[in-house]
Amino acid sequence: MPASLAFRLFGRSYHRLRAFLGRGRSVAALAERLEVRLIELTSFEPRYHRMRIAKRSGGIRELSVPSDGTKRLQRKLLSRVLAGLRAHPAACAYERGKSIAQNAAPHVGRAVVIKLDIVDFFPATKADRLQKYFQRIGYSRKAARLLTRLTTYEDGLPQGAPTSPRLSNLVNFGIDVRLANLADRCGGVYTRYADDITISLAQDDPRHVRGIVQRVRRILRAYGYELHQKKKLKILRPHHRQLVTGLVVNERLNLPRSKRRELRAALHHLATGRPATLTREQLAGWKGLLKMISDDGGPTAGRDRSA
């Protein structure tokens, strides 16, 4: 039966059956898409080196940085294989047209904001899930194994590879669907910015809030993830400063007051020819963020008791 006819007759179940049987686009088709010789693609061995960098919030982040050759191939995979695939609308990190402002804006003015954080997000996104995903989107079992080998390291997504951020959104579409449905059933809103999960509710019922946290934990465990327990689990009510991806959402979308003061001082210093804590290029970036905040959440000026 021709593939086009089978799809019209059976729809998604046809794709699921092909994935189960390991059928789909071949390694040769993948090499052609990447414009790489077949022998070069199948014999390629990704290489990485470890790098430790300081986190802005304190502590050390360990990266697995690909070699130049590995990075070039992964960038081809990113642009020619992954770019056209669909992530869930709630996934706001690493997606074109999305930002921290769009991640925070749905949570403005809510009765309670629940913030949760996934432990070791990239390494915990395991290779077997990636292989199943590649088969599900139409690659043969052999091609899916090759794609998984080219994009994973030590059985997970390497934090430092150009393909990892996009893949972390694509492979977690199912999680986003389940968490968005959970929030919706509770009269809430859900967004995710990489490993940061936010659910906000219009009404504050402490027992209800505890139940949501427990259900989120169970859903994530089904996919191999764990939540940070106490330090990064936050339940924020209107008398708290409700921060979502670094932006205040209590009454309007806004930068924290301390950052607004810093920006005003830097602008004044530059205008009067005095040394400033920020360069003109850094200020231009902050101005771009302020415009996004204004576009997504209304005016950034005005009274904000919790900012």
Side-chain angles (χ1 to χ4, degrees):
M1 180 185 297
S4 58
L5 176 59
F7 179 71
R8 285 198 300 271
L9 290 175
F10 302 108
R12 289 184 181 179
S13 60
Y14 171 71
H15 278 317
R16 292 194 186 100
L17 177 61
R18 283 174 64 84
F20 176 77
L21 296 173
R23 298 175 182 172
R25 290 189 289 275
S26 66
V27 173
L30 176 62
E32 184 178 354
R33 173 169 287 196
L34 295 173
E35 295 183 353
V36 176
R37 291 174 56 203
L38 180 59
I39 186 64
E40 291 178 2
L41 185 63
T42 55
S43 62
F44 188 86
E45 290 295 334
R47 298 185 185 279
Y48 299 86
H49 68 272
R50 298 284 193 183
M51 179 181 293
R52 291 161 67 87
I53 62 172
K55 297 181 182 179
R56 285 187 298 178
S57 57
I60 298 295
R61 187 188 308 279
E62 189 168 281
L63 303 181
S64 300
V65 181
S67 66
D68 290 344
T70 304
K71 193 176 294 184
R72 280 194 297 271
L73 181 56
Q74 288 174 340
R75 282 175 175 157
K76 277 192 172 184
L77 286 167
L78 182 61
S79 62
R80 302 186 183 193
V81 175
L82 306 180
L85 301 173
R86 187 166 67 98
H88 193 276
C92 295
Y94 320 124
E95 295 296 320
R96 184 172 296 178
K98 296 291 185 74
S99 68
I100 61 171
Q102 288 188 315
N103 183 68
H107 307 291
V108 170
R110 310 289 283 179
V112 60
V113 176
I114 307 166
K115 294 176 59 177
L116 309 114
D117 188 89
I118 300 172
V119 177
D120 296 331
F121 178 58
F122 284 103
T125 306
K126 296 301 183 182
D128 64 326
R129 292 184 59 216
L130 269 296
Q131 181 169 332
K132 290 174 184 175
Y133 172 77
F134 286 128
Q135 286 185 234
R136 201 160 59 245
I137 63 172
Y139 285 93
S140 68
R141 184 175 289 114
K142 189 173 180 180
R145 280 199 300 265
L146 176 58
L147 281 164
T148 302
R149 183 169 66 80
L150 294 174
T151 55
T152 59
Y153 177 60
E154 296 183 345
D155 194 37
L157 287 177
Q159 190 166 1
T163 44
S164 293
R166 187 82 172 89
L167 278 170
S168 73
N169 282 344
L170 296 173
V171 77
N172 284 318
F173 192 100
I175 288 179
D176 291 329
V177 168
R178 292 182 67 179
L179 294 183
N181 288 342
L182 169 63
D184 185 61
R185 289 196 303 271
C186 298
V189 180
Y190 160 76
T191 62
R192 180 176 61 83
Y193 199 89
D195 55 352
D196 291 331
I197 290 171
T198 307
I199 295 176
S200 60
L201 305 174
Q203 295 183 350
D204 182 7
D205 180 340
R207 192 173 69 172
H208 204 180
V209 169
R210 288 193 298 271
I212 288 173
V213 173
Q214 291 168 2
R215 277 142 72 185
V216 170
R217 183 176 287 114
R218 286 198 296 269
I219 289 169
L220 290 173
R221 280 180 176 165
Y223 292 84
Y225 293 123
E226 290 291 338
L227 286 175
H228 282 282
Q229 294 298 318
K230 293 183 179 179
K231 185 178 178 182
K232 295 188 177 182
L233 169 59
K234 296 182 179 178
I235 312 298
L236 304 174
R237 294 176 168 89
H239 62 277
H240 299 116
R241 184 174 69 161
Q242 295 172 321
L243 277 178
V244 176
T245 45
L247 301 177
V248 179
V249 297
N250 289 70
E251 298 176 1
R252 67 188 80 244
L253 194 62
N254 210 343
L255 287 173
R257 182 178 295 157
S258 58
K259 178 56 68 176
R260 299 200 307 269
R261 286 172 175 166
E262 180 186 349
L263 293 178
R264 283 196 297 267
L267 284 168
H268 181 68
H269 284 193
L270 286 173
T272 56
R274 289 184 289 168
T277 56
L278 299 172
T279 66
R280 292 188 184 276
E281 290 75 19
Q282 289 172 321
L283 278 170
W286 281 107
K287 285 181 179 178
L289 176 59
L290 284 168
K291 184 178 186 307
M292 282 191 288
I293 292 171
S294 180
D295 290 344
D296 289 315
T300 59
R303 183 173 65 90
D304 193 336
R305 293 176 306 205
S306 301

